[in-house]
Amino acid sequence: MSGRAALRAGLGLLAGGQVVLGLWILLLPQLFWKWPWVSHLPPYNEHLLQDFGGASLALAVVLCAAVATMERRLVLTALVAYLVSALAHLLFHARHLEPLSAASAAGFLALLGAAVLLPAVLVWLAADGTAFREPGSAGTGRRPE
């Protein structure tokens, strides 16, 4: 798989996850709240959940635009935005594990860690620009369309 294809697939995975998360929270906030890794932080606040769902969909729009255009600056911006959000999410939950069992906390932190690791790897892949060059255009100075 080429760097460009891997980058596009990773962006698509992140975008899809944000679409699912955002729609779940917006359409079924109480069902989302019942998820054990969420409900251990009461009280339920529909307004904050709706805002979070909307923000997740907004991030999905930016990620989808990056997938569609594969324009380097947009791809990097989308990935860094996702990374900032994922890192803040991980740090918050790492400080609030008390009600969870050790196994549940470990699984949750592994999931949140992967949500930081994937965009970090994709930023690294996108950073040098190789994934944005057309095959055979190395050193020609040509930019992909």
Side-chain angles (χ1 to χ4, degrees):
M1 177 183 287
S2 72
R4 183 177 182 87
L7 188 56
R8 180 171 266 150
L11 282 163
L13 180 66
L14 296 176
Q18 290 300 295
V19 167
V20 169
L21 180 66
L23 289 175
W24 181 13
I25 295 169
L26 284 174
L27 300 175
L28 302 164
Q30 290 179 336
L31 182 61
F32 177 78
W33 187 259
K34 289 181 181 178
W35 190 255
W37 291 338
V38 177
S39 63
H40 78 276
L41 296 171
Y44 174 79
N45 186 317
E46 185 176 358
H47 174 214
L48 290 179
L49 281 176
Q50 294 287 317
D51 287 352
F52 178 54
S56 294
L57 287 176
L59 183 53
V61 168
V62 177
L63 288 162
C64 287
V67 169
T69 66
M70 289 302 289
E71 195 278 318
R72 184 177 182 204
R73 285 175 292 191
L74 179 57
V75 166
L76 285 168
T77 300
L79 288 171
V80 170
Y82 185 96
L83 187 56
V84 166
S85 175
L87 185 57
H89 195 199
L90 170 65
L91 292 174
F92 175 84
H93 282 290
R95 294 188 320 264
H96 298 90
L97 296 171
E98 303 82 28
L100 300 175
S101 70
S104 184
F108 190 35
L109 288 180
L111 179 66
L112 295 176
V116 170
L117 185 60
L118 176 59
V121 168
L122 295 173
V123 165
W124 174 78
L125 183 60
D128 76 350
T130 304
F132 301 98
R133 293 191 190 106
E134 290 180 21
S137 67
T140 66
R142 289 186 340 170
R143 295 181 58 182
E145 300 295 322

